[in-house]
Amino acid sequence: MIMSLKLSSKTLTLGIETSCDETAAAVVEGGQRILSNYVATQDDLHAVFGGVVPEIASRRHTEVMTIVVDEALKQAERTLGDIDLIAVTHGPGLEGSLLVGVSAAKGYAIATGRPLVGVNHLEGHMMSNFVAPPEEEPAAQPLFPSLCLIASGGHTDLILIRGFGDYQIIGQTRDDAAGEALDKAARVMGLGYPGGPAIEQAALSGNPQGISFPRPVVKNSLDFSFAGLKTALVRYVQEHGLEATGGGVADVAASFQQAVVDTLVRGVTEAQEEFPVRQIMVCGGVAANTTLRLSIKQLEKTTRMPVVFPPRDLCTDNAAMIAGAGYFRAQRQGPDGLDLDVFSALPLAEAD
Ligand code: KG4
Ligand code: ZN
């Protein structure tokens, strides 16, 4: 039986996010007003390995979890006793990392006597468009149906949002995610981790037309594929090195970044042609990329509808988006039990 929770515009949600390598906590009022949003990144720990090492990630989550929650409460000028709802990511993600966040959330729920709600990380990313600090407007309005591109390290999905909790995946990557392709490409170019920001930085002085990388298409579908593009880069570097154009690694980075961006923008363009929508949203770590933000914004002119994305700090993993998603989920579906489990793969609910 579904028991929805009575929540109000004053309800304070503590959000907890540990699905990958960020330990994050946030306090959000009324599901949308961000009172605090604290993220402890582990980039320094994983950089030497060129990618996230799951065992190291979970251990660091364990070390800093309570410190991160205390910091979020402090920045919100609230105490644990003020919290009305605990929202936590329970998938998809690294199971060991998720277990730390979910176990901590259960502890906070028991300590406060407040309800617990599990959140799908992808629903969180979508919600990043609907949360904002009290003095700012959220990026998106609840204009449905909306089309949402989630481009992160683990996912590249095109989602038709018919309302909060009513989602249809209309396209997804068949192999690598966009962020994963950028991370792998950065490794090939010797640019470090995380790859997306490193490539963006290196690309600043490069020529995006310097090298002609492919724009992979998956025929007769809205799906993406980035594996071929990555292979093209590996082959290019093996054959020509990084200096062939005279522009150095900057040209390779700019050309590769442009190929990823063009592929994503084409996916969004085709999806909104096939599915009539009232708004286009972009989110996930790759949505922090300036080239993508500028190109996708151009679609406003041709489609004549709002094309929105969150501020950069809400694109990458954070707990404000989890608190926001948890609030609306608890309102629709009620809380979860203390037996809440974690899932490395967790399908997005088609409809509650
Ligand atoms: O959403 P996110 O923080 O974590 C996942 O859910 O995966 O996304 C992380 C991904 C990484 O692949 C990272 O390289 C990429 O987002 N990313 C970027 C930028 N910032 C983060 N990609 C391109 N440009 C950026 N500025
Ligand atoms: Zn994410």
Side-chain angles (χ1 to χ4, degrees), residues 17 19-22 92 121-122 125 150-155 177-183 193-201 257 283-292 312 314-318 321:
E17 155 65 37
S19 67
C20 193
D21 61 338
E22 320 284 1
H121 184 74
L122 298 178
H125 272 302
I150 304 181
S152 70
H155 292 84
E180 190 179 1
L182 287 162
D183 291 338
Y193 173 85
I199 288 183
E200 176 160 38
Q201 186 59 33
Q257 173 178 264
C283 57
V286 181
N289 185 275
T290 301
T291 305
L292 176 62
R312 284 186 178 75
L314 291 175
C315 291
T316 44
D317 286 348
N318 66 87
M321 66 185 196

Short mmCIF file of all heavy atoms in Angstrom, two decimals, residues 17 19-22 92 121-122 125 150-155 177-183 193-201 257 283-292 312 314-318 321, ligand 1:
data_model
loop_
_atom_site.label_atom_id
_atom_site.label_comp_id
_atom_site.label_asym_id
_atom_site.label_seq_id
_atom_site.Cartn_x
_atom_site.Cartn_y
_atom_site.Cartn_z
N GLU A 17 24.39 11.82 -0.52
CA GLU A 17 24.77 11.26 -1.82
C GLU A 17 26.18 10.67 -1.72
O GLU A 17 27.13 11.38 -1.38
CB GLU A 17 24.71 12.38 -2.88
CG GLU A 17 25.59 12.20 -4.10
CD GLU A 17 25.23 11.02 -4.98
OE1 GLU A 17 24.03 10.74 -5.15
OE2 GLU A 17 26.15 10.38 -5.50
N SER A 19 27.05 7.94 -4.30
CA SER A 19 26.97 6.86 -5.30
C SER A 19 28.29 6.59 -6.00
O SER A 19 28.50 5.52 -6.55
CB SER A 19 25.89 7.17 -6.33
OG SER A 19 26.26 8.29 -7.10
N CYS A 20 29.19 7.57 -6.00
CA CYS A 20 30.47 7.36 -6.69
C CYS A 20 31.61 7.88 -5.81
O CYS A 20 31.88 7.31 -4.77
CB CYS A 20 30.42 8.03 -8.06
SG CYS A 20 31.77 7.53 -9.12
N ASP A 21 32.24 8.97 -6.22
CA ASP A 21 33.41 9.41 -5.46
C ASP A 21 33.23 10.78 -4.84
O ASP A 21 34.20 11.42 -4.46
CB ASP A 21 34.67 9.38 -6.33
CG ASP A 21 34.57 10.31 -7.53
OD1 ASP A 21 33.44 10.64 -7.92
OD2 ASP A 21 35.61 10.70 -8.08
N GLU A 22 31.99 11.27 -4.73
CA GLU A 22 31.76 12.49 -3.97
C GLU A 22 30.96 12.12 -2.73
O GLU A 22 29.96 11.42 -2.84
CB GLU A 22 30.93 13.53 -4.76
CG GLU A 22 31.23 13.65 -6.22
CD GLU A 22 32.51 14.40 -6.52
OE1 GLU A 22 33.18 14.82 -5.56
OE2 GLU A 22 32.85 14.54 -7.70
N PRO A 92 21.44 4.15 -9.13
CA PRO A 92 22.53 3.25 -9.45
C PRO A 92 23.87 3.85 -9.02
O PRO A 92 23.96 5.06 -8.82
CB PRO A 92 22.44 3.15 -10.98
CG PRO A 92 21.76 4.41 -11.42
CD PRO A 92 20.88 4.85 -10.29
N HIS A 121 19.56 7.95 -8.29
CA HIS A 121 20.54 9.01 -8.60
C HIS A 121 20.16 9.79 -9.87
O HIS A 121 20.37 11.00 -9.95
CB HIS A 121 21.91 8.34 -8.77
CG HIS A 121 23.04 9.28 -9.01
ND1 HIS A 121 23.58 10.07 -8.02
CD2 HIS A 121 23.73 9.58 -10.14
CE1 HIS A 121 24.55 10.81 -8.52
NE2 HIS A 121 24.67 10.54 -9.81
N LEU A 122 19.59 9.09 -10.85
CA LEU A 122 19.24 9.76 -12.11
C LEU A 122 18.06 10.71 -11.91
O LEU A 122 18.00 11.79 -12.51
CB LEU A 122 18.91 8.73 -13.19
CG LEU A 122 20.07 7.80 -13.54
CD1 LEU A 122 19.65 6.78 -14.56
CD2 LEU A 122 21.25 8.62 -14.04
N HIS A 125 19.58 13.75 -10.59
CA HIS A 125 20.16 14.65 -11.60
C HIS A 125 19.07 15.47 -12.29
O HIS A 125 19.22 16.67 -12.50
CB HIS A 125 20.95 13.85 -12.64
CG HIS A 125 22.39 13.63 -12.25
ND1 HIS A 125 23.24 14.68 -11.99
CD2 HIS A 125 23.12 12.51 -12.07
CE1 HIS A 125 24.44 14.20 -11.66
NE2 HIS A 125 24.39 12.88 -11.70
N ILE A 150 20.48 13.45 -19.67
CA ILE A 150 21.40 13.26 -18.55
C ILE A 150 22.72 12.78 -19.14
O ILE A 150 22.78 11.72 -19.76
CB ILE A 150 20.91 12.19 -17.55
CG1 ILE A 150 19.50 12.53 -17.03
CG2 ILE A 150 21.88 12.06 -16.38
CD1 ILE A 150 18.98 11.51 -16.02
N ALA A 151 23.77 13.58 -18.97
CA ALA A 151 25.09 13.20 -19.49
C ALA A 151 26.06 13.22 -18.32
O ALA A 151 26.45 14.29 -17.85
CB ALA A 151 25.53 14.15 -20.59
N SER A 152 26.42 12.03 -17.85
CA SER A 152 27.29 11.97 -16.67
C SER A 152 28.41 10.96 -16.93
O SER A 152 28.61 10.52 -18.07
CB SER A 152 26.47 11.56 -15.44
OG SER A 152 26.07 10.22 -15.57
N GLY A 153 29.11 10.58 -15.86
CA GLY A 153 30.18 9.61 -16.01
C GLY A 153 29.66 8.20 -16.22
O GLY A 153 30.32 7.36 -16.82
N GLY A 154 28.46 7.94 -15.72
CA GLY A 154 27.91 6.59 -15.83
C GLY A 154 26.76 6.46 -16.80
O GLY A 154 26.39 5.35 -17.18
N HIS A 155 26.15 7.59 -17.19
CA HIS A 155 24.93 7.53 -17.99
C HIS A 155 24.90 8.58 -19.09
O HIS A 155 25.42 9.68 -18.91
CB HIS A 155 23.69 7.73 -17.10
CG HIS A 155 23.48 6.60 -16.16
ND1 HIS A 155 24.13 6.51 -14.96
CD2 HIS A 155 22.73 5.47 -16.28
CE1 HIS A 155 23.79 5.38 -14.37
NE2 HIS A 155 22.94 4.73 -15.14
N ALA A 177 29.38 6.01 -21.55
CA ALA A 177 28.67 7.27 -21.31
C ALA A 177 29.56 8.42 -21.82
O ALA A 177 30.77 8.25 -21.98
CB ALA A 177 28.40 7.44 -19.82
N ALA A 178 28.93 9.58 -22.04
CA ALA A 178 29.68 10.73 -22.57
C ALA A 178 30.84 11.10 -21.63
O ALA A 178 31.98 11.32 -22.07
CB ALA A 178 28.75 11.92 -22.76
N GLY A 179 30.56 11.15 -20.32
CA GLY A 179 31.61 11.50 -19.36
C GLY A 179 32.71 10.46 -19.31
O GLY A 179 33.90 10.79 -19.17
N GLU A 180 32.30 9.20 -19.43
CA GLU A 180 33.27 8.10 -19.44
C GLU A 180 34.20 8.23 -20.65
O GLU A 180 35.41 8.04 -20.54
CB GLU A 180 32.45 6.80 -19.54
CG GLU A 180 33.19 5.53 -19.34
CD GLU A 180 32.22 4.33 -19.44
OE1 GLU A 180 31.00 4.52 -19.67
OE2 GLU A 180 32.72 3.20 -19.31
N ALA A 181 33.62 8.59 -21.80
CA ALA A 181 34.42 8.78 -23.02
C ALA A 181 35.42 9.92 -22.80
O ALA A 181 36.60 9.81 -23.18
CB ALA A 181 33.52 9.08 -24.21
N LEU A 182 34.97 11.01 -22.18
CA LEU A 182 35.87 12.14 -21.91
C LEU A 182 36.97 11.72 -20.93
O LEU A 182 38.14 12.09 -21.09
CB LEU A 182 35.07 13.32 -21.35
CG LEU A 182 34.19 14.05 -22.37
CD1 LEU A 182 33.12 14.89 -21.68
CD2 LEU A 182 35.03 14.94 -23.30
N ASP A 183 36.58 10.95 -19.90
CA ASP A 183 37.58 10.52 -18.91
C ASP A 183 38.64 9.62 -19.55
O ASP A 183 39.84 9.76 -19.29
CB ASP A 183 36.89 9.77 -17.75
CG ASP A 183 36.04 10.70 -16.88
OD1 ASP A 183 36.30 11.92 -16.90
OD2 ASP A 183 35.13 10.22 -16.19
N TYR A 193 42.73 13.21 -14.34
CA TYR A 193 41.37 12.85 -13.94
C TYR A 193 40.82 13.92 -13.00
O TYR A 193 41.56 14.43 -12.17
CB TYR A 193 41.41 11.47 -13.23
CG TYR A 193 40.08 11.09 -12.64
CD1 TYR A 193 39.11 10.49 -13.43
CD2 TYR A 193 39.78 11.41 -11.31
CE1 TYR A 193 37.87 10.18 -12.89
CE2 TYR A 193 38.53 11.09 -10.79
CZ TYR A 193 37.60 10.48 -11.58
OH TYR A 193 36.38 10.18 -11.07
N PRO A 194 39.52 14.27 -13.02
CA PRO A 194 38.52 13.80 -13.97
C PRO A 194 38.73 14.41 -15.36
O PRO A 194 39.13 15.56 -15.49
CB PRO A 194 37.19 14.25 -13.35
CG PRO A 194 37.54 15.36 -12.41
CD PRO A 194 38.95 15.16 -11.99
N GLY A 195 38.42 13.62 -16.37
CA GLY A 195 38.80 13.97 -17.73
C GLY A 195 38.00 15.12 -18.33
O GLY A 195 38.56 15.91 -19.10
N GLY A 196 36.71 15.20 -18.01
CA GLY A 196 35.87 16.24 -18.62
C GLY A 196 36.42 17.64 -18.39
O GLY A 196 36.71 18.38 -19.34
N PRO A 197 36.62 18.03 -17.11
CA PRO A 197 37.17 19.36 -16.85
C PRO A 197 38.58 19.52 -17.42
O PRO A 197 38.94 20.60 -17.88
CB PRO A 197 37.20 19.46 -15.32
CG PRO A 197 36.26 18.41 -14.84
CD PRO A 197 36.21 17.34 -15.88
N ALA A 198 39.39 18.44 -17.40
CA ALA A 198 40.77 18.52 -17.91
C ALA A 198 40.74 18.79 -19.41
O ALA A 198 41.52 19.62 -19.93
CB ALA A 198 41.52 17.23 -17.60
N ILE A 199 39.85 18.10 -20.13
CA ILE A 199 39.76 18.31 -21.58
C ILE A 199 39.22 19.71 -21.87
O ILE A 199 39.71 20.41 -22.76
CB ILE A 199 38.86 17.22 -22.23
CG1 ILE A 199 39.62 15.88 -22.21
CG2 ILE A 199 38.43 17.60 -23.65
CD1 ILE A 199 38.92 14.73 -22.87
N GLU A 200 38.23 20.13 -21.09
CA GLU A 200 37.68 21.47 -21.29
C GLU A 200 38.77 22.53 -21.14
O GLU A 200 38.88 23.46 -21.94
CB GLU A 200 36.54 21.73 -20.28
CG GLU A 200 36.00 23.14 -20.37
CD GLU A 200 34.62 23.30 -19.76
OE1 GLU A 200 34.34 22.69 -18.72
OE2 GLU A 200 33.83 24.06 -20.33
N GLN A 201 39.60 22.37 -20.13
CA GLN A 201 40.68 23.32 -19.87
C GLN A 201 41.69 23.30 -21.02
O GLN A 201 42.06 24.35 -21.57
CB GLN A 201 41.35 22.94 -18.54
CG GLN A 201 42.40 23.90 -18.04
CD GLN A 201 41.85 25.32 -17.82
OE1 GLN A 201 40.68 25.49 -17.45
NE2 GLN A 201 42.67 26.33 -18.09
N GLN A 257 36.34 17.07 -27.81
CA GLN A 257 35.24 17.66 -27.05
C GLN A 257 34.10 18.06 -27.99
O GLN A 257 32.93 17.83 -27.71
CB GLN A 257 35.76 18.88 -26.28
CG GLN A 257 34.67 19.68 -25.58
CD GLN A 257 35.27 20.85 -24.80
OE1 GLN A 257 35.50 20.74 -23.61
NE2 GLN A 257 35.51 21.96 -25.47
N CYS A 283 21.37 17.88 -17.81
CA CYS A 283 21.94 17.77 -16.46
C CYS A 283 23.01 16.67 -16.44
O CYS A 283 23.29 16.06 -17.46
CB CYS A 283 20.84 17.48 -15.44
SG CYS A 283 19.91 16.00 -15.80
N GLY A 284 23.61 16.45 -15.28
CA GLY A 284 24.73 15.49 -15.17
C GLY A 284 26.05 16.23 -15.32
O GLY A 284 26.09 17.36 -15.84
N GLY A 285 27.13 15.60 -14.88
CA GLY A 285 28.44 16.25 -14.83
C GLY A 285 28.86 16.89 -16.14
O GLY A 285 29.44 17.99 -16.14
N VAL A 286 28.57 16.26 -17.27
CA VAL A 286 29.02 16.80 -18.57
C VAL A 286 28.28 18.11 -18.89
O VAL A 286 28.78 18.94 -19.66
CB VAL A 286 28.84 15.73 -19.68
CG1 VAL A 286 29.32 16.25 -21.03
CG2 VAL A 286 29.59 14.45 -19.32
N ALA A 287 27.11 18.31 -18.27
CA ALA A 287 26.36 19.55 -18.50
C ALA A 287 27.09 20.76 -17.89
O ALA A 287 26.69 21.91 -18.11
CB ALA A 287 24.95 19.44 -17.92
N ALA A 288 28.17 20.52 -17.14
CA ALA A 288 28.99 21.63 -16.65
C ALA A 288 29.86 22.20 -17.76
O ALA A 288 30.47 23.26 -17.61
CB ALA A 288 29.87 21.16 -15.49
N ASN A 289 29.93 21.50 -18.88
CA ASN A 289 30.84 21.88 -19.96
C ASN A 289 30.34 23.10 -20.74
O ASN A 289 29.22 23.11 -21.25
CB ASN A 289 30.98 20.68 -20.92
CG ASN A 289 31.99 20.92 -22.00
OD1 ASN A 289 31.67 21.51 -23.02
ND2 ASN A 289 33.21 20.50 -21.77
N THR A 290 31.17 24.12 -20.84
CA THR A 290 30.76 25.38 -21.45
C THR A 290 30.40 25.22 -22.93
O THR A 290 29.42 25.79 -23.40
CB THR A 290 31.88 26.44 -21.30
OG1 THR A 290 32.12 26.60 -19.91
CG2 THR A 290 31.48 27.77 -21.88
N THR A 291 31.18 24.43 -23.66
CA THR A 291 30.89 24.24 -25.09
C THR A 291 29.52 23.58 -25.26
O THR A 291 28.73 23.99 -26.12
CB THR A 291 31.98 23.37 -25.74
OG1 THR A 291 33.24 23.98 -25.49
CG2 THR A 291 31.79 23.24 -27.24
N LEU A 292 29.21 22.60 -24.42
CA LEU A 292 27.89 21.95 -24.49
C LEU A 292 26.79 22.95 -24.12
O LEU A 292 25.76 23.03 -24.79
CB LEU A 292 27.83 20.73 -23.57
CG LEU A 292 26.46 20.03 -23.51
CD1 LEU A 292 26.04 19.49 -24.88
CD2 LEU A 292 26.45 18.90 -22.49
N ARG A 312 26.70 25.17 -12.70
CA ARG A 312 27.70 24.09 -12.79
C ARG A 312 27.79 23.22 -11.53
O ARG A 312 27.94 22.02 -11.60
CB ARG A 312 29.08 24.69 -13.09
CG ARG A 312 29.20 25.10 -14.52
CD ARG A 312 30.61 25.55 -14.86
NE ARG A 312 30.66 25.90 -16.26
CZ ARG A 312 30.15 27.01 -16.76
NH1 ARG A 312 29.56 27.89 -15.98
NH2 ARG A 312 30.23 27.26 -18.05
N LEU A 314 25.63 22.30 -9.56
CA LEU A 314 24.52 21.35 -9.42
C LEU A 314 24.52 20.30 -10.54
O LEU A 314 23.71 19.37 -10.52
CB LEU A 314 23.18 22.09 -9.40
CG LEU A 314 22.91 22.94 -8.16
CD1 LEU A 314 21.62 23.72 -8.31
CD2 LEU A 314 22.86 22.07 -6.90
N CYS A 315 25.41 20.47 -11.54
CA CYS A 315 25.51 19.47 -12.61
C CYS A 315 26.24 18.23 -12.10
O CYS A 315 25.80 17.10 -12.31
CB CYS A 315 26.26 20.04 -13.81
SG CYS A 315 25.35 21.31 -14.69
N THR A 316 27.38 18.45 -11.46
CA THR A 316 28.15 17.32 -10.94
C THR A 316 27.45 16.81 -9.66
O THR A 316 26.58 17.48 -9.10
CB THR A 316 29.60 17.74 -10.65
OG1 THR A 316 29.57 19.01 -9.99
CG2 THR A 316 30.38 17.88 -11.93
N ASP A 317 27.86 15.63 -9.21
CA ASP A 317 27.15 14.97 -8.11
C ASP A 317 27.06 15.86 -6.87
O ASP A 317 28.06 16.45 -6.44
CB ASP A 317 27.84 13.64 -7.77
CG ASP A 317 27.55 12.59 -8.83
OD1 ASP A 317 26.67 12.82 -9.68
OD2 ASP A 317 28.21 11.53 -8.80
N ASN A 318 25.88 15.92 -6.31
CA ASN A 318 25.63 16.72 -5.11
C ASN A 318 24.42 16.15 -4.39
O ASN A 318 23.70 15.31 -4.95
CB ASN A 318 25.40 18.19 -5.51
CG ASN A 318 24.13 18.36 -6.31
OD1 ASN A 318 23.05 18.53 -5.75
ND2 ASN A 318 24.21 18.27 -7.65
N MET A 321 20.26 17.90 -5.04
CA MET A 321 19.37 17.28 -6.02
C MET A 321 18.72 16.02 -5.45
O MET A 321 17.58 15.68 -5.78
CB MET A 321 20.14 16.97 -7.32
CG MET A 321 21.23 15.92 -7.19
SD MET A 321 22.17 15.75 -8.74
CE MET A 321 23.00 14.16 -8.45
O1 KG4 B 1 27.25 13.50 -12.72
P1 KG4 B 1 28.65 13.23 -12.35
O2 KG4 B 1 29.31 14.16 -11.36
O3 KG4 B 1 28.83 11.79 -11.78
C1 KG4 B 1 28.16 10.68 -12.32
O4 KG4 B 1 26.97 10.48 -11.96
O5 KG4 B 1 28.79 10.00 -13.14
O6 KG4 B 1 29.48 13.21 -13.72
C2 KG4 B 1 30.86 13.01 -13.73
C3 KG4 B 1 31.33 13.10 -15.16
C4 KG4 B 1 32.78 12.75 -15.33
O7 KG4 B 1 32.92 11.87 -16.43
C5 KG4 B 1 33.45 14.09 -15.63
O8 KG4 B 1 34.59 13.98 -16.45
C6 KG4 B 1 32.33 14.83 -16.32
O9 KG4 B 1 31.15 14.44 -15.65
N1 KG4 B 1 32.48 16.29 -16.21
C7 KG4 B 1 32.65 17.10 -17.26
C8 KG4 B 1 32.85 18.41 -16.73
N2 KG4 B 1 32.77 18.34 -15.38
C9 KG4 B 1 32.54 17.03 -15.08
N3 KG4 B 1 32.68 16.85 -18.59
C10 KG4 B 1 32.90 17.89 -19.41
N4 KG4 B 1 33.11 19.16 -19.00
C11 KG4 B 1 33.10 19.45 -17.67
N5 KG4 B 1 33.31 20.71 -17.26
#
